[in-house]
Amino acid sequence: MQLRYSYRLYPTPGQRSTLARAFGCARVVFNDALAAREAAYKAGEPYIPDAALSKRLTVSKRTPERAWLAEVSSVVLQQALADLNQAYRNFFDSVSGKRKGPKVALPRFRSRKAHRQAIRFTANARFKVLASGKLRLPRIGDVPVRWSRDLPSQPSSVTVIRDSAGRYFASFVIQTGPVTVPGSGPVTGIDLGLTHFAVLSDGRKIASPQFLRRAGKKLRRAQRSLSRKQKGSQNRDKARVKVARAHARVADARREFHHQLSTALIRDSQAVAVEDLAVTGLARTRMARSVHDAGWSAFVAMLEYKSRLYGRRFHRIGRFTPTSQTCCLCEVKDGPKPLHVRAWRCQGCGAWLDRDINAAVNVAKAAGLAVTVCGAQVRPGLALAPRGEAGTHPKSPWK
Ligand SMILES: [Zn+2]
């Protein structure tokens, strides 16, 4: 399987301008190829195959209008074509139903004004991590890197990104086999919710990261300031970068939280089950902000790939399984309960059930996992503790 490892890059001013040129060349190659395919389509001609696009590129580099493309590593240009081909494949697979999920649109022209720019070098471009710790990029130079963690093996490609906050990153792809860590841990059902970020079938509740909300406040202040600036002014440009920086900080903090929690969960469990949430549906309601803060789908994706990496079982259960209507102890179904009911006494066996823990156990059961249910029963007083208790431990993912 493939894993991505990202690091900050600190290119020199000279390297920044060669990078800017490379971003521009990749964009032109992408747009030229897209225009050729669109023109063929409009003229009723057949779809231009990938190999033909590649040949066209070689020819156009010999013309005076496109001669400057030769200043950039040819791998970067070929990878821009590969991006376009992949975008078309995703579109065709989406139309034919081969690809599930939301519909994919046709590729669009890349804008010079886009705030995120990227180029990719594959192994045959001979990029190299030098003994000095710098990253050697062909036709760019030796770029300083901040190695926040070790690269576990030889990367197969590197994408160089300039984000909207003006920061540079190297994102390496590493091929790795599953790491087999003995999985003798328990089976864990996970209920993702709004009162807590996640509740586990063993009774642990993980608070929603409140530090994200604080960072969000800063972000909103920056956005308000941006909206007051005059269009086209220099101050507006500065304010835009500030907003982008605030966005980047929120995204970084969220990703870090997701990484810590998903690693801990996968390492400690032999199998995990989560509910497949209708996040897009929820996001349209007024709960939108807290749903986006929670970032469930990114978190579930991490759980999934880390399960494969560590050789754990991963289950996603359908979102229409009524996890809060059934007692996880005796399986008596006593109907839906309004959201404010956090705990209730089961009509069948008389147990006091915590809504979220009950749901987490039911998620595991729906996935066909044998889960210990001792955590689900609670003393009434405990279950009715004030809601404000969540989020008192912003640093630790465990509550
Ligand atoms: Zn019961």
Side-chain angles (χ1 to χ4, degrees):
M1 62 185 293
Q2 293 189 335
L3 287 179
R4 281 195 172 278
Y5 283 74
S6 286
Y7 305 91
R8 268 303 273 281
L9 289 180
Y10 296 93
T12 63
Q15 290 168 346
R16 279 168 199 236
S17 57
T18 44
L19 276 169
R21 209 172 309 142
F23 292 139
C25 289
R27 188 178 60 239
V28 164
V29 165
F30 182 96
N31 287 347
D32 280 356
L34 176 54
R37 276 200 178 137
E38 286 195 346
Y41 178 77
K42 279 191 191 121
E45 289 163 12
Y47 178 77
I48 304 173
D50 299 357
L53 276 189
S54 178
K55 268 190 206 130
R56 277 168 189 245
L57 171 60
T58 316
V59 172
S60 79
K61 273 160 89 172
R62 288 190 211 117
T63 66
E65 296 83 49
R66 292 283 183 262
W68 41 273
L69 289 177
E71 289 172 28
V72 176
S73 161
S74 61
V75 171
V76 164
L77 306 181
Q78 288 297 338
Q79 289 300 309
L81 287 186
D83 286 347
L84 180 72
N85 296 333
Q86 187 60 51
Y88 267 102
R89 265 196 297 281
N90 292 346
F91 169 73
F92 292 138
D93 288 350
S94 169
V95 170
S96 68
K98 217 168 116 190
R99 182 191 168 100
K100 290 185 176 50
K103 283 276 166 270
V104 177
L106 270 167
R108 288 193 308 189
F109 288 98
R110 288 183 178 170
S111 161
R112 192 172 56 83
K113 285 189 178 156
H115 296 304
R116 184 187 182 277
Q117 307 275 346
I119 46 170
R120 189 166 59 246
F121 297 87
T122 51
N124 59 3
R126 289 193 283 277
F127 69 88
K128 200 173 170 189
V129 177
L130 302 173
S132 66
K134 287 183 179 173
L135 172 63
R136 175 162 292 168
L137 296 172
R139 309 264 178 128
I140 307 284
D142 298 346
V143 184
V145 187
R146 192 167 67 84
W147 298 102
S148 43
R149 53 177 170 157
D150 283 341
L151 253 186
S153 62
Q154 194 64 30
S156 58
S157 78
V158 60
T159 303
V160 177
I161 300 154
R162 183 186 184 275
D163 75 1
S164 54
R167 305 178 302 176
Y168 293 81
F169 295 91
S171 175
F172 295 95
V173 171
I174 300 280
Q175 301 286 345
T176 163
V179 188
T180 34
V181 178
S184 56
V187 157
T188 308
I190 304 166
D191 180 59
L192 301 171
L194 290 169
T195 50
H196 289 83
F197 178 78
V199 175
L200 311 184
S201 53
D202 65 7
R204 278 184 292 176
K205 295 186 172 188
I206 294 125
S208 283
Q210 297 291 312
F211 57 87
L212 281 179
R213 199 138 305 166
R214 279 199 297 275
K217 255 183 209 161
K218 264 193 186 162
L219 175 62
R220 275 193 300 288
R221 206 176 309 135
Q223 270 163 342
R224 266 199 306 277
S225 152
L226 171 64
S227 67
R228 281 194 300 263
K229 301 284 185 289
Q230 201 157 30
K231 283 219 172 104
S233 70
Q234 265 208 334
N235 277 336
R236 191 184 168 87
D237 250 17
K238 273 188 216 153
R240 189 192 57 71
V241 171
K242 260 193 192 150
V243 168
R245 287 223 176 99
H247 261 298
R249 262 194 296 274
V250 173
D252 289 351
R254 185 188 293 126
R255 198 176 318 114
E256 192 50 36
F257 170 75
H258 289 164
H259 266 306
Q260 281 181 15
L261 183 57
S262 55
T263 299
L265 280 169
I266 295 301
R267 193 165 286 163
D268 297 350
S269 317
Q270 52 168 303
V272 295
V274 286
E275 203 171 359
D276 194 5
L277 287 152
V279 175
T280 45
L282 273 175
R284 254 178 262 126
T285 66
R286 64 197 168 86
M287 286 173 180
R289 208 173 60 80
S290 53
V291 171
H292 287 305
D293 277 1
W296 288 321
S297 45
F299 175 70
V300 171
M302 279 185 193
L303 281 178
E304 192 167 8
Y305 89 71
K306 287 180 185 179
S307 301
R308 267 186 289 147
L309 186 63
Y310 288 103
R312 307 294 197 238
R313 278 175 296 152
F314 175 84
H315 302 270
R316 199 193 288 258
I317 68 149
R319 57 187 172 208
F320 297 112
T321 312
T323 50
S324 65
Q325 299 185 22
T326 309
C327 168
C328 69
L329 299 169
C330 70
E331 277 160 31
V332 161
K333 200 171 156 181
D334 54 3
K337 294 148 197 89
L339 257 181
H340 70 266
V341 177
R342 306 312 305 167
W344 65 86
R345 185 185 290 283
C346 168
Q347 302 293 308
C349 65
W352 267 98
L353 298 168
D354 176 288
R355 183 188 191 103
D356 301 317
I357 303 172
N358 183 63
V361 173
N362 279 334
V363 166
K365 281 185 158 186
L369 301 174
V371 65
T372 50
V373 293
C374 50
Q377 197 171 355
V378 290
R379 283 176 289 116
L382 194 74
L384 298 172
R387 282 186 211 178
E389 263 192 9
T392 45
H393 303 285
K395 286 219 178 84
S396 153
W398 304 116
K399 182 172 156 27

